[in-house]
């Protein structure tokens, strides 16, 4: 029975080490990510891996209250990602409308120039 418990502890510690390395890589990705969506996904992935580490610690330490902490952290992480997505969507749409407005201004200027050129042609 002792061999099974030692194997179990080694497996849990190994899983936490692997998750720690993945968390560090995910944090690097969230800092260096080429775009904002990549960064949001990396932050979500980091939160998910932290939830898994807390769950593994709950089993390893045989502390049931850590499962409650894990659930609360999951809700906060989900809410944070939803807020980040909402902010990104708002910024994206604002930039899109701004570009559309700039194109409308350019079209209006070209249309005015075209009308002025036609009026000059008619005056001759």
């Amino acid at each position: 029975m002792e061999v099974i418990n030692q194997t179990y502890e080694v497996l849990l510690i190994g899983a936490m080490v692997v998750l720690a390395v993945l968390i560090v890589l995910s944090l690097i990705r969230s800092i260096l990510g080429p775009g904002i969506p990549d960064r949001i996904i990396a932050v979500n992935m980091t939160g998910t891996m932290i939830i898994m580490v807390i769950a593994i610690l709950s089993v390893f330490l045989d502390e049931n209250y850590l499962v409650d902490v894990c659930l609360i952290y999951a809700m906060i992480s989900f809410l944070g990602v939803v807020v980040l997505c909402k902010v990104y969507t708002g910024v994206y749409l604002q930039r899109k409308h701004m570009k559309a407005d700039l194109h409308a201004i350019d079209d209006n200027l070209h249309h005015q120039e075209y009308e002025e050129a036609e009026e000059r042609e008619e005056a001759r």
Side-chain angles (χ1 to χ4, degrees), residues 16-89:
M16 285 194 298
V17 168
V18 169
L19 283 171
V21 170
L22 290 175
I23 288 171
V24 169
L25 292 175
S26 179
L27 285 173
I28 291 171
R29 183 54 152 179
S30 67
I31 293 169
L32 300 177
I36 294 175
D38 298 322
R39 291 181 174 139
I40 292 174
I41 291 170
V43 167
N44 188 21
M45 190 168 50
T46 303
T48 303
M49 287 186 284
I50 289 173
I51 292 167
M52 289 188 293
V53 168
I54 294 171
I56 290 172
L57 277 174
S58 172
V59 172
F60 185 71
L61 300 175
D62 197 26
E63 298 290 341
N64 293 332
Y65 71 90
L66 286 176
V67 176
D68 297 332
V69 171
C70 186
L71 288 172
I72 291 170
Y73 189 82
M75 288 186 280
I76 292 171
S77 177
F78 173 73
L79 184 63
V81 170
V82 168
V83 168
L84 285 174
C85 288
K86 188 74 170 168
V87 168
Y88 172 69
T89 304

Side-chain angles (χ1 to χ4, degrees), residues 109-121:
L109 288 174
H110 291 302
H111 184 68
Q112 287 177 357
E113 290 172 0
Y114 178 75
E115 286 180 354
E116 289 174 1
E118 283 185 351
E119 288 175 4
R120 281 189 228 135
E121 293 275 330

